Amino acid sequence: MPLARSLSVTSLSGLEEWDEEFDLEDAVLFEIAWEVANKVGGIYTVIQTKARLTAEEWGENYFLVGPYVESNVRTQVELIEPTDPVLKRTIDKMNSSGCKVYFGRWLIEGSPYVILIDVAFTAWSLDRWKSELWELCDIGVPWFDREANDAVLFGFLTAWLLGEVRNDIHTDPPPHIVAQFHEWLAGLGLVLCRHRQLPVATIFTTHATLLGRYLCAGNVDFYNNLAQFNVDKEAGDRQIYHRYCLERAAAHCAHVFTTVSQITAIEAEFLLKRKPDIVTPNGLNVKKFSAMHEFQNLHAQSKNRIQEFIRGHFYGHLDFNLDKCLFLFIAGRYEFSNKGADIFLEALARLNYLLRVNQSDVTVIAFFIMPARTNNFNVETLKGQAVRKQLWDTAQTVKERFGKKLYESLLVGQLPDVSKMLDKEDFTIMKRAIFATQRQCQPPVCTHNMLEDSSDPILNCVRRIGLFNSSADRVKIIFHPEFLSSTSPLLPMDYEEFVRGCHLGVFPSYYEPWGYTPAECTVMGIPSISTNLSGFGCFMEEHIADPSAYGIYILDRRFRGVDESCNQLTSFLFQFCKQSRRQRIIQRNRTERLSDLLDWRYLGRYYISARHMALAKAFPDTYVYVPHEPNSTSGFRYPRPASVPPSPALSRHSSPHHSEAEDNDEDERYDEDLEAEKDRVNIRQPYTTPFKNKSSAQYNCFVE
């Protein structure tokens, strides 16, 4: 039986293939977001990866609506004439009224239709629309907030678009329109649709609350004081009251309100004053390999490329064994406290002490991939890669000379005299190469020249804890303040390739509504550390009986103080360092199996449920949505693996005592296919969520 998922808000339960598809012939879906064909943050990834599944479900009736950004359109969108006559008339009418609206296909998987609106072209209407917003909602937007001004323009234009589409439909009965709005930047369009009483089923999805992000950035005790915040005062103090009002209005006006995780649902209930109707976790398009060893091979190939970079970066100080070197990384927006970089650095300092005291031969190299303001690559870093290449070229030259002499000796039928195979010139070349590797300074911590070096949080923390990549330290730090690129002269790898080559992703975030970085690690078979304050961490903790056995370590940052959490993180890292190579391979196999949990093929059904609920609320005479009442028997949890556990301390009961002999024990029984089959069998079939269409035959979309 294949892994299957369902629509329960509290658990992922099993789903067979649907007996009947929901009839979408009389429904049209518009999905509106500022990040349609416009990469700003994580919402872009959500929409881009989900597009294929949604396009397959809705076909020609699915349209994404976003802003027109010329630089993005040139590389991502194929502009075409609208295929639908109603939409063509609508766009022509708006363009003749002083707008610029474009239609095309977004060149991603699924090739969905996109409607792109040039908000700057209609800036002449900004003051008039701001006045209308004030009269309708008592929300005033200051002139200096450009992002909020864009939100006003985008909101009025999307409401105009939807209104024109609805008014231009003359079929009887007309198709039902579903409009899903993502985040506060698109939320005003929803508010206007409801105020104008457009017959549109509306959904508002918040991926993170505005106020929550600002409060956490201010180092407040956020989660323990959610019920005590004076939200109006807090938003006003941070000069985002108008943005907060737009977000809160959208949440309250929507037929259906959704968030991306349980932790964000709690946050939204207190800050936006409405409990979400459905939690819609974020997924990914998971590529499954035909054989388990394929992704392990990719890990080995990418690891070798990282090792090449390390050889250059640490030239002159390469006094550690690269085969016993573990690569850890943290990546994302440069939010020092929110993303947990502060606690990660402190844990690395404590880990360094433990490794030195225990005389471990393991070396840990921690990468910080967080974009910051720089003016160029560090000269010393570039020099390291040049020295490495020079050494490689020297070795190749000597090898060719050696090989030629060996060849000539064998041709005449003589065994070579090894003492004469290398002459003085060869030794001179090699000595010059060795002298070139001498270095008077420590390997740099930062790969770039920082514009604000003296005030940079990561660098200041490194100075405080004293991890300067010295030979005595078992933990080394490399701060790469730029997103990775395969065209970089320093570390020519894209992000996916880099992640595959690492051993562990560390994401001890304090504020993380979902967390795509650990999810990406999981689908690539790389273990990760997350927290119980991130959406991903809560999701995994709920659906896996023993997350650490599957390479998902959940750090407690909700019920522990900072020092306790730091000690727990240090313990996770130290135990990971004590694993044998074989244990890490087994753990990666288990981690990769969890990728089914994060596949849009399953998680996309939460979005389906939200759209069905919105249709039922907006058009009660046509649709009925019967909510699922969770019970104690519904859902499933991945069981704890029965065989060799990955951690010598965290999974002790069934773990063989670690020894070098056991690393080479070929008789030790471990069947990966059998373990995978046990995981699949342990999924229970749940109660299902029925949805009915009154206007035609009765549809049970979710069946056992």
Side-chain angles (χ1 to χ4, degrees):
M1 182 189 72
L3 287 176
R5 311 290 179 255
S6 89
L7 297 158
S8 165
V9 175
T10 56
S11 69
L12 285 179
S13 35
L15 265 183
E16 298 291 348
E17 291 298 318
W18 297 355
D19 285 346
E20 296 177 280
E21 292 293 334
F22 173 61
D23 184 9
L24 297 174
E25 291 295 322
D26 62 344
V28 180
L29 172 63
F30 290 89
E31 195 160 1
I32 300 125
W34 188 257
E35 296 198 37
V36 169
N38 177 39
K39 185 172 176 58
V40 178
I43 301 171
Y44 175 90
T45 305
V46 175
I47 295 169
Q48 182 201 40
T49 56
K50 184 172 63 66
R52 182 183 68 181
L53 182 79
T54 314
E56 288 174 358
E57 179 194 357
W58 289 79
E60 299 289 302
N61 293 347
Y62 175 48
F63 303 95
L64 286 159
V65 182
Y68 177 86
V69 181
E70 188 174 355
S71 58
N72 295 333
V73 170
R74 281 201 303 265
T75 58
Q76 298 184 45
V77 178
E78 177 191 8
L79 295 177
I80 59 175
E81 283 294 313
T83 54
D84 183 85
V86 172
L87 211 51
K88 187 178 188 325
R89 289 194 296 269
T90 296
I91 291 175
D92 289 344
K93 186 174 181 180
M94 290 182 70
N95 286 340
S96 64
S97 301
C99 302
K100 268 195 176 180
V101 183
Y102 301 85
F103 186 85
R105 281 195 181 274
W106 192 2
L107 301 179
I108 57 174
E109 285 190 87
S111 300
Y113 289 129
V114 287
I115 302 168
L116 302 177
I117 304 172
D118 190 341
V119 296
F121 193 77
T122 51
W124 51 272
S125 298
L126 181 60
D127 289 338
R128 176 166 58 89
W129 285 342
K130 277 187 177 181
S131 298
E132 186 177 341
L133 177 62
W134 174 255
E135 291 169 4
L136 294 178
C137 309
D138 291 335
I139 299 175
V141 178
W143 63 269
F144 55 81
D145 190 341
R146 182 174 177 177
E147 200 171 12
N149 288 335
D150 286 342
V152 172
L153 291 169
F154 189 55
F156 272 88
L157 287 165
T158 52
W160 185 357
L161 174 77
L162 292 172
E164 290 290 348
V165 168
R166 183 61 187 84
N167 293 335
D168 204 78
I169 296 173
H170 303 297
T171 59
D172 187 27
H176 299 102
I177 297 175
V178 184
Q180 180 162 11
F181 299 80
H182 292 267
E183 284 293 290
W184 72 275
L185 279 163
L188 179 56
L190 186 154
V191 176
L192 293 171
C193 285
R194 296 305 306 277
H195 184 270
R196 295 171 183 176
Q197 298 183 346
L198 296 180
V200 175
T202 57
I203 305 167
F204 181 64
T205 299
T206 180
H207 297 256
T209 67
L210 269 171
L211 191 53
R213 195 177 291 282
Y214 274 83
L215 286 168
C216 287
N219 291 322
V220 302
D221 187 4
F222 180 65
Y223 291 98
N224 289 324
N225 292 290
L226 272 174
Q228 281 75 48
F229 287 123
N230 182 336
V231 291
D232 295 316
K233 179 181 182 303
E234 296 291 351
D237 290 346
R238 288 158 178 79
Q239 298 185 355
I240 58 164
Y241 186 65
H242 53 289
R243 297 186 181 193
Y244 168 74
C245 288
L246 289 174
E247 181 181 41
R248 184 167 168 177
H252 282 267
C253 288
H255 289 104
V256 173
F257 175 41
T258 75
T259 61
V260 297
S261 64
Q262 290 288 0
I263 196 74
T264 313
I266 297 170
E267 174 189 337
E269 186 175 359
F270 284 103
L271 300 187
L272 298 180
K273 307 302 180 182
R274 178 177 176 181
K275 185 176 181 179
D277 299 291
I278 291 180
V279 172
T280 53
N282 292 334
L284 288 163
N285 289 328
V286 177
K287 176 187 176 184
K288 300 298 289 183
F289 295 99
S290 56
M292 184 66 73
H293 65 268
E294 287 185 44
F295 84 92
Q296 295 282 8
N297 291 342
L298 288 174
H299 166 73
Q301 293 166 13
S302 298
K303 183 180 71 173
N304 289 338
R305 297 193 64 183
I306 297 175
Q307 287 177 339
E308 283 300 298
F309 167 78
I310 296 299
R311 290 186 177 100
H313 192 81
F314 287 90
Y315 83 92
H317 294 272
L318 200 64
D319 50 5
F320 50 88
N321 186 350
L322 277 175
D323 289 331
K324 293 189 176 181
C325 191
L326 298 179
F327 301 138
L328 279 55
F329 81 98
I330 182 173
R333 283 189 306 273
Y334 196 173
E335 297 177 9
F336 184 64
S337 298
N338 278 359
K339 296 297 181 183
D342 52 352
I343 192 174
F344 185 29
L345 282 165
E346 182 62 37
L348 287 173
R350 299 180 187 186
L351 174 66
N352 183 56
Y353 171 78
L354 288 175
L355 292 175
R356 291 177 64 177
V357 166
N358 288 275
Q359 298 181 341
S360 173
D361 58 355
V362 172
T363 300
V364 171
I365 297 180
F367 290 87
F368 287 74
I369 313 294
M370 291 180 158
R373 296 180 63 206
T374 66
N375 60 15
N376 215 326
F377 293 108
N378 186 308
V379 173
E380 187 64 27
T381 307
L382 287 173
K383 181 184 175 183
Q385 300 308 312
V387 168
R388 177 191 62 78
K389 188 176 185 306
Q390 182 187 10
L391 282 173
W392 175 259
D393 292 342
T394 299
Q396 293 299 107
T397 300
V398 173
K399 185 177 78 172
E400 287 178 9
R401 291 162 62 94
F402 183 95
K404 185 177 180 182
K405 292 175 184 177
L406 177 61
Y407 172 67
E408 290 174 348
S409 177
L410 294 176
L411 274 178
V412 298
Q414 295 179 358
L415 288 174
D417 185 350
V418 178
S419 63
K420 296 179 180 179
M421 295 300 289
L422 295 175
D423 55 26
K424 283 188 176 181
E425 186 178 354
D426 294 325
F427 281 103
T428 300
I429 293 173
M430 289 189 289
K431 285 179 181 178
R432 287 176 60 184
I434 292 172
F435 289 162
T437 64
Q438 293 181 358
R439 197 180 209 171
Q440 303 304 318
C441 61
Q442 301 283 10
V445 169
C446 187
T447 59
H448 292 60
N449 295 322
M450 300 289 290
L451 290 179
E452 299 167 350
D453 184 289
S454 61
S455 59
D456 184 80
I458 288 179
L459 294 182
N460 280 339
C461 189
V462 169
R463 295 178 185 117
R464 180 180 62 81
I465 61 180
L467 287 180
F468 299 117
N469 295 339
S470 67
S471 298
D473 290 326
R474 298 267 50 84
V475 173
K476 322 285 186 181
I477 293 176
I478 298 176
F479 178 25
H480 189 280
E482 188 177 78
F483 284 131
L484 297 170
S485 169
S486 57
T487 59
S488 169
L490 193 64
L491 185 56
M493 303 176 74
D494 59 30
Y495 178 72
E496 179 180 342
E497 188 180 7
F498 173 79
V499 172
R500 284 195 183 278
C502 289
H503 296 91
L504 181 70
V506 184
F507 313 104
S509 306
Y510 183 75
Y511 185 78
E512 190 70 80
W514 176 247
Y516 256 123
T517 40
E520 288 164 339
C521 286
T522 302
V523 301
M524 287 186 267
I526 303 301
S528 64
I529 297 176
S530 188
T531 75
N532 58 358
L533 290 181
S534 75
F536 172 84
C538 293
F539 180 85
M540 286 301 191
E541 202 169 35
E542 183 179 359
H543 301 298
I544 306 173
D546 183 4
S548 61
Y550 285 90
I552 308 294
Y553 300 91
I554 310 296
L555 183 67
D556 185 2
R557 294 204 65 181
R558 188 173 185 185
F559 304 109
R560 298 192 187 197
V562 175
D563 189 60
E564 285 182 287
S565 296
C566 191
N567 283 334
Q568 186 185 20
L569 177 57
T570 305
S571 175
F572 285 159
L573 296 176
F574 186 54
Q575 296 302 332
F576 188 82
C577 291
K578 290 166 68 176
Q579 289 183 28
S580 67
R581 180 174 177 273
R582 184 174 183 278
Q583 286 174 316
R584 291 198 302 272
I585 290 172
I586 292 171
Q587 189 179 58
R588 281 197 297 272
N589 288 341
R590 291 182 183 148
T591 303
E592 197 272 341
R593 282 208 307 276
L594 295 181
S595 60
D596 282 326
L597 271 173
L598 303 169
D599 196 330
W600 273 124
R601 289 178 300 159
Y602 308 118
L603 296 184
R605 297 183 181 185
Y606 287 90
Y607 278 85
I608 294 173
S609 182
R611 292 192 286 264
H612 290 177
M613 183 185 290
L615 281 168
K617 287 187 176 183
F619 309 107
D621 294 336
T622 308
Y623 303 100
V624 173
Y625 178 85
V626 183
H628 165 41
E629 295 295 333
N631 57 63
S632 60
T633 62
S634 68
F636 78 95
R637 283 167 65 87
Y638 264 79
R640 188 180 181 283
S643 62
V644 187
S647 170
L650 300 177
S651 304
R652 183 163 303 177
H653 298 295
S654 61
S655 173
H657 296 293
H658 171 62
S659 70
E660 291 300 322
E662 284 181 349
D663 281 348
N664 301 315
D665 185 1
E666 298 297 331
D667 296 328
E668 187 174 357
R669 290 193 296 271
Y670 178 79
D671 189 329
E672 192 64 41
D673 292 333
L674 182 60
E675 270 208 11
E677 187 59 31
K678 285 180 181 177
D679 287 342
R680 287 190 281 267
V681 168
N682 272 278
I683 298 171
R684 293 200 294 261
Q685 295 298 314
Y687 175 79
T688 57
T689 306
F691 180 79
K692 301 174 185 176
N693 183 335
K694 287 183 181 177
S695 62
S696 58
Q698 182 170 309
Y699 288 89
N700 277 335
C701 291
F702 311 112
V703 297
E704 293 188 11

